[in-house]
Structures are given as C-alpha cells and as structure tokens.
Amino acid sequence: MGENIVLSQPVLQPKPVAAPAARRLAHAAAPPGRAPGGPARPPRIRPPVMTERGVSFRLLGPLEIATANGRLPLKGMNQRLVLALLLLNANHVVPTTDLMDVLWPDGRPPATGRKSLQNTISALRGVLARGGVPERIASLTSEGSGYMLKTAPENLDLTRFRLLADKGRDALAAGDTEEAARLLRGALGLWRGRALAELADAGLDWPQTTAADGARLHALEEYCEAELANGRPHEVIQRLESAAAADPSRERTQRLLMTALYRSSRRDDALRAYERLHQQLRDDLGAAPSRELQDLHGAIVRQDPLLAPGGTPAPRGSRPRPSADPELGVLHALLDLVRRQNRPHVVALTGDAEERQAALVARLMSGLKQDDRAAVWHVQPGPEGVDLAHDLRAALRRATPERPMVAVAEHLHQAGHLVPECVGDIVTEAGRTPLLIVLTARTGSHGLWPGWDKAVPRFTTITV
C-alpha cells in the first residue's frame, strides 16, 4: 500500500487494478512490441515499405495495409475506424463496446449496430484474405467479448518508429551523436503525414494519435540536437522552421532553430526568431520566454564563442537533478516509475510546512515544463473539493503512454472526507495510464482522511 517517507526513497507495494473498458478505448494497454515480461525484441528495419514478414500496417500518415503486391483496398469510414483501433491495440482484445463507441461516438448505436460491426469485421478479414496475407502473419480473431488483431509488432510502422526513436534517444544520451542522428533520421523517415491522417482530417481526436504526433515532434527535436552537435546546422533549419511555424510558442523548437540559424551565419534571422517567440508568448499567455531562451538570446547578441559547434545545450532529460532537495528527488523518482511501469501513482505531501510544500510543488512544475518530460495539470479542487474529481478526470484524459501527466492538487486538508474515494476512483479508472497525482495537505493522510489505505491503491506519503 503506502509508505510514510521522511527524506527517504519510497517503498512501493502496488495492487493490481483492472482498467475499465472505456479507458482501454483511450489508452492502449501497452505500447506495441513490448511484452509484459520484458523489453521488445527490435525488428530488422529495412528501407522499403515492406517488412520481412510481408505486410506492413501503416498508421504514420493515411491508414494503409501494404503488401508485396501493393496496398490493400479499404472501403468506407467504418472499416478504417475499426481497423485503426484494432491496430492501436494490436495483440490485445478490444471490447465490442469500445468498437461500437468508435462507430457511434454519440453513444446511441442503432438496433442493428452490433450486426453492422460484425459485418465490418468480416469485411476486414476478407481484405486480408484477398490480399494474400496468411493468418500466421496477421489475423483478426474473436476473443470473448471483443476482437483482436494478431500480428508481429514489427509489422506496425508505429512500433518500428518507437524502437528507432528510443535507440536514437539512448545514443544521444550516451554522446554518440552520429549514431543518434542516423537512427532518428530513420525513425522520422517512416512518417508520411499526421498519424491516421484521413481520420484526423475527418475530426477524429484519439489520445493515441495525439501522442504519436507528439512523439514525432520529440524525435525531430532530438534529431536536430544530434545534427547540431555534429556540426550540421544547415541540415535541420528547414525542418525546424516548419515545426516552429506549426507550434510557434514551443520553446524547445525555437531554441534549436535560433541555434541552427546562428551557426549557419544567420544571426539576424536567429534574433528575429526570438522576437517572434516573445511576441507569441505575450499575446497567447501574457508571459515572457524562459530564462534559458533569454540567455540564448543574450549569447547571440554578444556572439558568445560558446555558441560555436560543440557548445550545443545538453539534450532533454540529461540535465542533472538537484541533489540538495531529497523530496524533489523522490518526486522525480516516482515520475520515472509511473513512466516506466505505465500506471498511476499518488503521492501526498503532508505536514505543517505549507510554504515548503508550495515551494516544492512550484519547483517540480517549473522543472517539468522546462525539460518537457511530462505534461502538468494544476487541479483546482474548489470549496470542499467539489471539483476535484472533474479536474482529475480532465488530467487523466490528457495522459498518454508517450507523455505522462502530473496532476497537482494543493491544500486538500480543506476537502475533507471526499478525497480518499475520489482519488481512489481516478486511480482505478486510470488503469494502465502514466498519471502521477501529487496532493498537499496540512496534516497526515491517515488522520485527515479515514479509509485512505483501503481507498487509494499505490500511494506514497512524504512528510514535509
């Protein structure tokens, strides 16, 4: 259950929690290609569309099934919607209710809805059979109260992208920037547009597609980090300009663009990029660029020698964490655990030092926003905690396997008896979602919230 911590690492005793069907629709149970018992076996990545197994399910752009004989025909939106959800949950059972929700998102299927779904499944089986795809390579099976598309993980371009991007990220962290650039270039080369482009254009907004597009941007930024370190700024300027135009307030992209422009002898363009960012942040958020961006701007104005090739800022995630703050170290360790195990966890900061709690939370949120390791959601519980469940569910909807969410709710000693049941429900609903819930309260959780131990699985208490 939980562990009371005074400047020490947590002892975690998780309870198994079953994810409700509705949550499985929004979050795949595990990233494709990663078995529950250990890391995925990397596939052989080849330049052509085809994998060595003879079929490639392509999600990174328009939805396609590619074979040695060409693309297989998909007819109508129903086939595409059902196939997309099955592929995003490949090798896991997708409940019939989830598939029905995809076809009729208003929650009101017709009386013939189940029969219509069965016809769509039958049509997809026919597409695979007529395309000459053997069942040992890919099959669509009925499993209990749902359906499963079985195929080797490396037959999905999304899985191959993740594997290459992870390897590239590891090489970058290890300082092998040439290998990192090669791997990340290969990962980015698998993309043909937005994830499930034609479904996104039709208004589809699934967390998995948003997460995939976000992972593509992260991989692009890491590729640019590597090429800047390799002394090739001109290789990345066009990519960065496109990314900056698509998201003009994203500071990491703008930092890389300014650095690339400056190192390509385009100092004035680098300064103009900063001014555009400054204006964008002021108009959208009423905020100024971060201290890191301001320092970079000053260095460009001074033509600081440290901006020469070899002086590129350290890649995201490589910044040392402050060792002088043990509680902050525990929070970061819990976030790593949430990301690694792909499941929720609750941490309660309790004690009489409310100012210290507030300062700790502020440092955590500021650091996460700066290095972009996780999204942050500041919960506003309201009087007696009436809005706590609503805001925590809003945070949960925005968490994805590629982008964990940290939800912070402060001063919960004012929320009384509502807290245990509310937080316990959210943890149960989260299932296999990387969500870290950080609560602060003036006194201990057990004394303040009777029944806390029974209601809240997987929690840690830090006395501050």
Side-chain angles (χ1 to χ4, degrees):
M1 292 299 295
E3 181 81 6
N4 188 65
I5 294 183
V6 181
L7 307 185
S8 62
Q9 290 290 334
V11 177
L12 308 174
Q13 297 177 350
K15 287 183 176 180
V17 178
R23 291 253 62 88
R24 287 196 295 269
L25 172 63
H27 306 286
R34 193 168 298 280
R41 181 180 179 181
R44 293 176 61 191
I45 307 298
R46 297 185 177 185
V49 169
M50 300 308 305
T51 66
E52 61 182 347
R53 296 214 167 191
V55 64
S56 177
F57 295 102
R58 308 176 75 188
L59 299 144
L60 306 182
L63 179 62
E64 293 180 353
I65 307 174
T67 71
N69 298 319
R71 292 193 300 270
L72 303 187
L74 294 171
K75 297 180 180 179
M77 188 60 74
N78 280 10
Q79 287 189 20
R80 293 179 177 278
L81 286 169
V82 170
L83 178 61
L85 188 60
L86 290 169
L87 289 173
L88 288 170
N89 295 274
N91 302 309
H92 293 87
V93 176
V94 180
T96 297
T97 53
D98 291 357
L99 292 164
M100 298 276 282
D101 287 344
V102 165
L103 295 177
W104 294 280
D106 60 0
R108 293 182 292 181
T112 58
R114 192 170 292 269
K115 180 63 176 177
S116 178
L117 172 61
Q118 292 171 350
N119 290 340
T120 301
I121 293 292
S122 177
L124 288 172
R125 287 174 175 151
V127 168
L128 295 175
R130 287 190 298 274
V133 179
E135 289 193 2
R136 62 184 175 82
I137 301 300
S139 63
L140 210 173
T141 62
S142 175
E143 303 282 342
S145 60
Y147 296 92
M148 181 192 304
L149 197 152
K150 299 179 181 179
T151 190
E154 60 266 28
N155 291 339
L156 278 74
D157 61 352
L158 178 57
T159 302
R160 300 200 301 278
F161 163 75
R162 284 173 172 157
L163 291 170
L164 282 171
D166 285 347
K167 286 185 175 183
R169 189 174 299 113
D170 291 343
L172 185 60
D176 189 350
T177 55
E178 288 288 355
E179 178 68 0
R182 185 186 70 81
L183 290 166
L184 290 163
R185 190 185 304 113
L188 294 168
L190 294 172
W191 285 78
R192 299 165 290 114
R194 296 173 61 193
L196 296 174
E198 76 276 37
L199 302 185
D201 291 341
L204 180 74
D205 184 17
W206 287 349
Q208 296 103 318
T209 58
T210 301
D213 287 328
R216 179 191 189 185
L217 178 55
H218 285 298
L220 171 63
E221 290 171 334
E222 285 155 349
Y223 167 70
C224 294
E225 293 269 14
E227 289 292 51
L228 285 173
N230 293 331
R232 294 192 286 266
H234 54 282
E235 293 284 343
V236 300
I237 287 177
Q238 186 174 357
R239 289 177 182 257
L240 287 169
E241 287 177 333
S242 297
D247 191 351
S249 61
R250 185 175 176 85
E251 293 200 0
R252 190 185 186 202
T253 301
Q254 298 289 352
R255 172 178 64 83
L256 292 165
L257 176 59
M258 290 166 61
T259 304
L261 289 168
Y262 180 79
R263 292 184 183 174
S264 299
S265 302
R266 295 172 58 182
R267 176 171 171 265
D268 289 346
D269 290 337
L271 294 173
R272 278 191 286 270
Y274 177 83
E275 292 303 325
R276 287 194 299 271
L277 172 64
H278 194 290
Q279 182 70 41
Q280 188 77 36
L281 292 173
R282 184 168 60 232
D283 292 346
D284 290 352
L285 306 172
S290 66
R291 173 57 59 183
E292 182 181 17
L293 265 293
Q294 294 179 40
D295 290 345
L296 176 59
H297 175 259
I300 291 173
V301 170
R302 298 190 307 273
Q303 302 187 58
D304 194 319
L306 289 177
L307 289 180
T312 187
R316 174 177 59 86
S318 65
R319 297 181 181 88
R321 293 174 184 158
S323 58
D325 198 334
E327 298 102 327
L328 190 60
V330 173
L331 291 173
H332 280 295
L334 289 172
L335 176 57
D336 288 342
L337 180 73
V338 163
R339 179 189 296 105
R340 193 167 57 249
Q341 297 187 345
N342 215 39
R343 68 181 189 186
H345 196 88
V346 180
V347 56
L349 305 179
T350 64
D352 296 329
E354 288 188 73
E355 290 185 4
R356 171 81 179 113
Q357 293 174 7
L360 189 61
V361 166
R363 290 187 61 191
L364 173 69
M365 295 175 70
S366 175
L368 293 177
K369 288 178 180 178
Q370 180 178 351
D371 66 20
D372 206 25
R373 293 192 310 122
V376 177
W377 188 266
H378 205 164
V379 175
Q380 304 295 332
E384 297 298 318
V386 293
D387 297 325
L388 181 61
H390 178 272
D391 274 12
L392 286 176
R393 284 190 174 91
L396 178 59
R397 287 194 296 270
R398 289 160 173 80
T400 67
E402 287 78 17
R403 188 161 174 77
M405 173 65 71
V406 178
V408 178
E410 300 183 82
H411 311 301
L412 285 189
H413 48 271
Q414 302 171 359
H417 65 282
L418 297 174
V419 174
E421 183 178 358
C422 170
V423 174
D425 287 347
I426 297 300
V427 171
T428 300
E429 289 178 26
R432 299 280 299 177
T433 303
L435 173 69
L436 179 66
I437 301 176
V438 180
L439 314 176
T440 75
R442 189 166 17 193
T443 187
S445 56
H446 299 80
L448 179 63
W449 304 314
W452 175 261
D453 279 356
K454 294 180 180 179
V456 181
R458 293 194 296 275
F459 73 89
T460 297
T461 300
I462 302 178
T463 301
V464 178

